Amino acid sequence: MNVSLDKELIEYKSCHLCPRNCGVNRYETVGFCKEKSALHVSRAALHMWEEPCISGSSGSGTVFFSGCNMGCVFCQNKAISRGEVGKKISIDRLVDIFFELEDKGANNINLVTGDMFIPTIRTAIEIAKSKGLTLPFLFNTSSYLNLDAVKSLDGLIDIYLPDLKYIRERDAIKYSNAHGYVQAARAAIDEMVRQQPACLFIEKDCPEKAAIDNNTDKQTIRAHTEKILQKGVVVRHLLMPGMLIQAKLIVKYLYDRYGNNIFISLMNQYTPSGNLEGFAEIDRKVAQAEYDSLIDYAAQIGVTNGFMQIGETAKESFIPQFDLTGV
């Protein structure tokens, strides 16, 4: 454990976790991500709205970290991405949160936007595993990471849930102020797939309540099974208004490179922030016809391992409350 702690000190003293390469001493000042070295968490709770093989019926044990190394003009979670909301916690408290989520029945421990805290997260996972935690650890990321940061997670992360936001560099710069995003994200996802080259599922029994029998006034319980992901990579892409061509290019890139070794999750939940002055072209929801075209294209080129969203997801109620629940 001392080796991990020593490395943690080195990485935070001159931060190069992401391609911004701030090089700042985060024990003394914040980087672009608005965070120092102390863990900053805004919510820890069961989340039911991830991909079905991640949430299942029991929920994914999500830990939302504050701060962000991206600069998306359309950010839906500004309260936490700019480090304005959250609570500073210790490594020991983070480990306790992992076990609390396990006790609540979580299918996994889902580390949401933990990119800025990778050194500390590594240590927390090592401690939790040494204490007997057996749930899969899931790393939920923008993919705007330096390759060494991803490599340092080898052997600790069971499931990767990366975004591939852009395949056109000009859009990464315009909408996320993320120079070098495309190259960095491609390299990061390559490394994630190297670490977890195939998706592994388990069949899980899930009791569910049936309707009350009017004859007996009793509620019966019936069981079903569901597949829950234990290892692998699920790459997400959020379709944005007017960017259907880019989305199709991303799907083609992912399928050509990884085939059905990964799952591709195509999302339609883009929600205009209401404060997009100068970006009128993305100040609307995605049209159903745009999303349908993307889904049809994925099917046409042969994608079989994929997820799509159904119904009204582009609304504020889809965004969780960052109210320090579970922290």
Side-chain angles (χ1 to χ4, degrees), residues 141-198:
T141 173
S142 71
S143 305
Y144 195 43
L145 287 167
N146 280 334
L147 188 56
D148 285 346
V150 184
K151 287 182 176 179
S152 76
L153 294 168
D154 194 2
L156 296 174
I157 298 299
D158 303 286
I159 303 163
Y160 282 101
L161 189 58
D163 291 337
L164 186 53
K165 294 179 179 292
Y166 309 101
I167 205 164
R168 297 190 299 219
E169 183 69 11
R170 65 179 182 272
D171 289 336
I173 295 169
K174 181 177 182 179
Y175 297 114
S176 294
N177 188 23
H179 293 259
Y181 176 86
V182 175
Q183 180 180 355
R186 283 175 165 179
I189 294 171
D190 272 352
E191 172 60 19
M192 295 172 194
V193 176
R194 185 197 69 78
Q195 292 179 24
Q196 298 295 348

Side-chain angles (χ1 to χ4, degrees), residues 57-58 202-208 223-226 228:
S57 299
S58 301
I202 60 168
E203 292 276 352
K204 185 176 179 181
D205 291 329
C206 300
E208 87 181 15
H224 70 281
T225 61
E226 57 188 5
I228 301 298

